[in-house]
Amino acid sequence: APCSRADAGMSGALPQPKRMSYAELCASERAMWAMLSALVERGAVLITDAPIEQHTVARIAQMIGPLQPQIYGELFDVRVTHDPINLAYSTEAIGAHMDLCYYESPPGLQLLHCIQHDAHTGGGESLLIDGFAAVEQLRAEQPDAFAALSRIPATFIKDHSKRKQPVLMSYQRPHISLDATGALIGLFWSPPFEGPLRVPVDDIPPYYRAYRQLQRTIDSAPQWTHRLAPGEVLVFNNRRMLHGRTAIHAPSEQSAARWLQGCYINIDEFMNRYNKLRREFGQEELARAHSIGNQDWALPQYLCVLPPDCTRR
């Protein structure tokens, strides 16, 4: 029978992101290990008391691994603009989604550093949903929908010519990725960036029925919501956690004083850092399998048993 990889984020209330201070994180490799462990187990970490200045988020990210370049550059700013080229730059609410699903390898970790969020600017609360938990709920309650979304490929697309560097990217794959045992190893969910289906006609009705069922499951899933304050940095696994925000309220677009600066880290760089620290601190015996969403069929084996480092011979 298909198996699921259950951890703290797979049932009940959504686990709270681990909180730790910027000073604590910078103090030792053991603190970095605590953060990366929390990202594997809970899917998110909230760093507090970081410097309120530009590029802080890059310095934090580079403690884990190199930044992942993409169409918005290595660093991007999330601010309300008069003529937004992206929903994130408007005052509109943003539903739960993953970023850059039209890439062959979407970002692993996303980091968002709050530089400004003035008191007169209401709303703009960040939200997280455990996407893997929602999919496992769909498997349990709507097995036909689960099967359809693991078989029928969606079309993820970014088609934007009216920008300084025009973009036309497309990638086709199912929303749900499974290994040979039926275990969930990947999820791709990004409604704002989905294009027309390119599938046989008979697959269209079951796809959209299943799609609506998963959307309802996500809409009713437990959420963590938080109004980021200046100096806070939200770090989360973009391959597992869905993120969004509530609408931003301000007297005018020009007065909407909310500024986040963000960046990404490739999932492989994240797991490289995690595994090396796990070995350094003698945690090879970890027996729980966690959902990191990198589609690696080796899970949970390589999370449980690390072979000897051949470079030590």
Side-chain angles (χ1 to χ4, degrees), residues 142-212:
Q142 303 284 344
D144 290 344
F146 178 91
L149 295 181
S150 63
R151 178 182 63 84
I152 304 171
T155 303
F156 298 96
I157 190 166
K158 174 74 170 180
D159 184 355
H160 191 179
S161 299
K162 295 180 180 180
R163 68 195 307 268
K164 186 175 181 180
Q165 294 179 318
V167 176
L168 179 54
M169 301 178 69
S170 178
Y171 204 91
Q172 190 177 24
R173 60 181 144 212
H175 291 284
I176 297 170
S177 179
L178 307 174
D179 70 8
T181 72
L184 177 61
I185 57 173
L187 171 64
F188 304 93
W189 186 257
S190 189
F193 297 99
E194 292 169 16
L197 286 182
R198 299 198 297 267
V199 301
V201 172
D202 289 346
D203 281 339
I204 295 175
Y207 170 85
Y208 282 111
R209 284 196 299 270
Y211 187 98
R212 287 192 293 269

Side-chain angles (χ1 to χ4, degrees), residues 36-242:
L36 299 185
S37 298
L39 285 168
V40 167
E41 294 172 6
R42 305 187 189 191
V45 168
L46 184 66
I47 300 169
T48 61
D49 303 315
I52 305 173
E53 58 189 32
Q54 295 191 56
H55 306 295
T56 294
V57 70
R59 291 194 293 271
I60 294 173
Q62 287 163 346
M63 295 167 66
I64 302 172
L67 306 187
Q68 180 174 346
Q70 29 68 43
I71 59 173
Y72 299 102
E74 289 191 338
L75 281 178
F76 55 87
D77 294 295
V78 182
R79 308 173 81 168
V80 174
T81 62
H82 174 64
D83 187 19
I85 65 169
N86 188 296
L87 187 61
Y89 309 150
S90 74
T91 58
E92 298 297 317
I94 302 175
H97 67 286
M98 294 172 162
D99 277 7
L100 308 189
C101 285
Y102 44 82
Y103 272 73
E104 181 276 332
S105 183
L109 298 185
Q110 181 167 178
L111 295 84
L112 292 171
H113 174 218
C114 182
I115 296 176
Q116 182 183 21
H117 201 167
D118 291 357
H120 71 267
T121 301
E125 291 187 334
S126 299
L127 66 88
L128 291 176
I129 292 173
D130 189 333
F132 267 48
V135 169
E136 290 294 358
Q137 182 179 343
L138 184 75
R139 187 207 299 257
E141 298 177 355
Q142 303 284 344
D144 290 344
F146 178 91
L149 295 181
S150 63
R151 178 182 63 84
I152 304 171
T155 303
F156 298 96
I157 190 166
K158 174 74 170 180
D159 184 355
H160 191 179
S161 299
K162 295 180 180 180
R163 68 195 307 268
K164 186 175 181 180
Q165 294 179 318
V167 176
L168 179 54
M169 301 178 69
S170 178
Y171 204 91
Q172 190 177 24
R173 60 181 144 212
H175 291 284
I176 297 170
S177 179
L178 307 174
D179 70 8
T181 72
L184 177 61
I185 57 173
L187 171 64
F188 304 93
W189 186 257
S190 189
F193 297 99
E194 292 169 16
L197 286 182
R198 299 198 297 267
V199 301
V201 172
D202 289 346
D203 281 339
I204 295 175
Y207 170 85
Y208 282 111
R209 284 196 299 270
Y211 187 98
R212 287 192 293 269
Q213 288 169 330
L214 180 53
Q215 181 69 74
R216 286 193 291 266
T217 301
I218 289 170
D219 289 344
S220 62
Q223 292 186 6
W224 176 81
T225 59
H226 179 73
R227 178 186 166 98
L228 288 174
E232 291 184 330
V233 183
L234 180 60
V235 188
F236 60 92
N237 182 354
N238 182 61
R239 297 291 194 92
R240 168 183 165 184
M241 309 299 287
L242 309 180

